[in-house]
Amino acid sequence: MALTSLNQYLTADLMRESCLKLRKKAAAGVDGKTVEEYGKELEERLPKLIEEIKGGSYRALPARRGYIPKPGKNEKRPLGIPAVEDKTVQKAVVTILEPIYEQEFYPFSYGFRQGTGALDATRAMRRAIEEGKTYWLVEVDIRKFFDTLSHEHMREFLRQRVRDGVILRLIDKWLKAGVMEDGAWQATEEGAPQGGIISPLLANLYLHEVLDKWYAKEIKSRLKGRSFLIRYADDFVMGFEREEDARRVMEVLPKRFARFSLSLNMQKTRVVDFRKPSRPEDKPESFDFLGFTHYWGRSRDGRMICKLKTAKDRLARSCRAVWEWCRKHLHQRVGEQCRGLNWKLRGHYSYYGMTHNTRALRQYYLTVCRTWFRWLRRRGNGRILTWEAFATLLSRHPLALPRIVHNLYQTG
């Protein structure tokens, strides 16, 4: 059933709550206002804002263009940073739409949804591979997904459940607001800017229609063996019991995505033979998913099990970030540097601290120690820092040791 009267929930209370939930240190948009500055004028602005939204005179500001480096590449990923007022209204709309689409999304979709995360997706995939014996995998990379979303198809997908003109008009304004870069405005005929609060929900809805429903209703019943799909935002892996099923799906995937104005990076999209090795000398293929390399290795009792470790490009990126941080904060007090490095270490462990990944965690820890030592040596002060002196310094200012935070074999 399509819902026609949702804008009644766009109230002053929801707007206040949405503004309070924004990150206080979030970057400002093209108007230069921070969350704190906008919050001070929110009460005065609210009546007029709601009137503009429901009357159709609300104008979305263009997103400010920013860039972040891509993992393991010299390229940069474009970001669109909306103004705080646009973020506030987007947050309110997401609050209204999320419960509607949560009923639609499949349980194998994990990204950008409340109560699910990368750990859940990783556990589900490893369980599907080992228990379902689905060893033929299709590893897929969508080319510039957020930049190439079709606005026309997005409108069609939205109208299947949402017919409220106010909500649809708001979303359309955000999609067409454009971006501002170096003082020049650029139109956006396609895509949803990464950085917008509404973009993850729209992206999830888009792939739900393009991929998830297609797999569940059309593909799965036509296969000869068991299969699975695990999707986290725009990253997904499909697994099959039979090689012929994997090859058939691999053939139709580019056509399916092209139908909805998306394309696959065929250099990174491949069929992976992930069958369990029967002999010690066998070297099966591995694959990357959500920052981890998945491979076969021996357990403590000698069995071959599916293990994971930090992907090389992610580890290299983390190490480069520590080097740059130490260079930037070279002249801080040692205690302040120690607190900053521990913040980075604990953040790394909180994501990558998974079962089987002890070696990569220790490699990152040792890299942080060596990097800190090398930059401290550059401070000079008329003395050359030795390893013995650095060990004494570490005893006074210890760095957080590697630790496993997440147990992959825990079901909850």
Side-chain angles (χ1 to χ4, degrees), residues 44-53 57:
E44 183 181 347
R45 170 71 177 143
L46 268 178
K48 183 68 173 176
L49 175 61
I50 293 174
E51 181 184 337
E52 290 176 359
I53 290 172
S57 60

Side-chain angles (χ1 to χ4, degrees), residues 184-211:
W185 179 78
Q186 299 175 14
T188 48
E189 300 298 331
E190 59 183 11
Q194 293 188 64
I197 292 177
I198 194 73
S199 298
L201 177 62
L202 297 181
N204 244 351
L205 172 60
Y206 204 95
L207 282 179
H208 170 74
E209 296 290 339
V210 173
L211 175 66

Side-chain angles (χ1 to χ4, degrees), residues 98-381:
E98 266 186 346
I100 298 170
Y101 288 111
E102 275 300 314
Q103 302 175 56
E104 302 286 320
F105 294 153
Y106 289 94
F108 52 74
S109 168
Y110 290 90
F112 301 135
R113 294 177 62 190
Q114 292 185 2
T116 66
L119 175 61
D120 303 299
T122 303
R123 281 176 175 158
M125 186 181 62
R126 296 178 73 258
R127 189 163 55 246
I129 290 174
E130 294 195 317
E131 295 178 5
K133 302 186 185 304
T134 45
Y135 298 142
W136 292 93
L137 307 179
V138 176
E139 185 183 9
V140 183
D141 183 76
I142 306 175
R143 188 189 301 275
K144 297 182 178 180
F145 171 66
F146 279 91
D147 298 334
T148 56
L149 291 181
S150 165
H151 292 179
E152 181 181 351
H153 289 303
M154 177 60 72
R155 294 185 191 102
E156 292 176 7
F157 297 153
L158 282 166
R159 287 184 64 81
Q160 291 179 20
R161 289 303 311 275
V162 177
R163 297 283 176 85
D164 186 297
V166 172
I167 299 294
L168 292 176
R169 189 164 56 239
L170 279 173
I171 294 175
D172 208 42
K173 287 182 177 182
W174 290 323
L175 290 175
K176 297 192 298 185
V179 295
M180 190 74 73
E181 184 173 6
D182 297 329
W185 179 78
Q186 299 175 14
T188 48
E189 300 298 331
E190 59 183 11
Q194 293 188 64
I197 292 177
I198 194 73
S199 298
L201 177 62
L202 297 181
N204 244 351
L205 172 60
Y206 204 95
L207 282 179
H208 170 74
E209 296 290 339
V210 173
L211 175 66
D212 299 356
K213 285 175 69 173
W214 174 67
Y215 166 76
K217 295 185 176 180
E218 297 184 35
I219 296 298
K220 198 171 183 179
S221 59
R222 300 181 183 181
L223 302 176
K224 295 182 179 180
R226 288 170 292 193
S227 67
F228 73 83
L229 167 64
I230 300 294
R231 181 172 69 82
Y232 187 92
D234 60 329
D235 293 324
F236 68 94
V237 172
M238 306 177 79
F240 304 90
E241 184 182 7
R242 294 171 175 261
E243 181 183 6
E244 58 186 296
D245 287 339
R247 302 288 179 189
R248 285 168 57 203
V249 171
M250 180 69 174
E251 287 181 11
V252 299
L253 268 176
K255 301 173 186 175
R256 173 68 182 180
F257 277 74
R259 180 180 167 187
F260 296 96
S261 306
L262 297 174
S263 61
L264 303 183
N265 184 345
M266 299 311 294
Q267 294 181 340
K268 295 183 178 180
T269 300
R270 61 190 181 120
V271 175
V272 180
D273 180 359
F274 200 63
R275 287 176 294 178
K276 185 183 299 188
S278 55
R279 299 175 301 174
E281 60 269 19
D282 291 340
K283 292 186 177 181
E285 293 184 76
S286 61
F287 69 97
D288 290 352
F289 185 61
L290 300 181
F292 293 95
T293 298
H294 299 256
Y295 66 101
W296 288 104
R298 293 202 173 274
S299 65
R300 291 181 178 180
D301 58 6
R303 294 181 297 110
M304 294 301 296
I305 60 173
C306 182
K307 293 186 172 183
L308 55 74
K309 60 184 177 181
T310 309
K312 287 183 179 179
D313 60 338
R314 297 297 183 91
L315 183 59
R317 181 179 67 174
S318 298
C319 293
R320 284 196 301 271
V322 170
W323 180 271
E324 288 299 318
W325 189 93
C326 287
R327 181 183 64 81
K328 185 177 179 181
H329 297 85
L330 174 62
H331 299 294
Q332 275 189 344
R333 293 177 180 274
V334 171
E336 294 175 356
Q337 289 184 352
C338 181
R339 282 192 292 273
L341 290 173
N342 275 326
W343 183 81
K344 286 187 169 294
L345 284 164
R346 294 189 183 102
H348 188 88
Y349 302 155
S350 67
Y351 184 83
Y352 294 103
M354 293 195 186
T355 310
H356 309 307
N357 199 29
T358 304
R359 182 177 295 179
L361 294 180
R362 181 162 179 76
Q363 184 178 349
Y364 178 70
Y365 168 78
L366 292 175
T367 299
V368 172
C369 289
R370 285 194 294 267
T371 301
W372 194 22
F373 169 75
R374 289 173 181 173
W375 280 103
L376 286 176
R377 279 176 65 99
R378 298 190 181 194
R379 289 165 64 135
N381 295 328

Side-chain angles (χ1 to χ4, degrees), residues 51-114:
E51 181 184 337
E52 290 176 359
I53 290 172
K54 298 191 177 183
S57 60
Y58 169 83
R59 292 186 61 186
L61 291 175
R64 181 170 64 84
R65 176 70 83 200
Y67 293 91
I68 58 173
K70 286 187 176 181
K73 299 181 180 179
N74 293 324
E75 305 175 34
K76 291 188 175 181
R77 177 182 288 116
L79 288 180
I81 304 169
V84 175
E85 182 165 277
D86 289 324
K87 288 180 182 178
T88 300
V89 184
Q90 287 183 22
K91 184 68 176 176
V93 171
V94 167
T95 302
I96 294 171
L97 295 183
E98 266 186 346
I100 298 170
Y101 288 111
E102 275 300 314
Q103 302 175 56
E104 302 286 320
F105 294 153
Y106 289 94
F108 52 74
S109 168
Y110 290 90
F112 301 135
R113 294 177 62 190
Q114 292 185 2

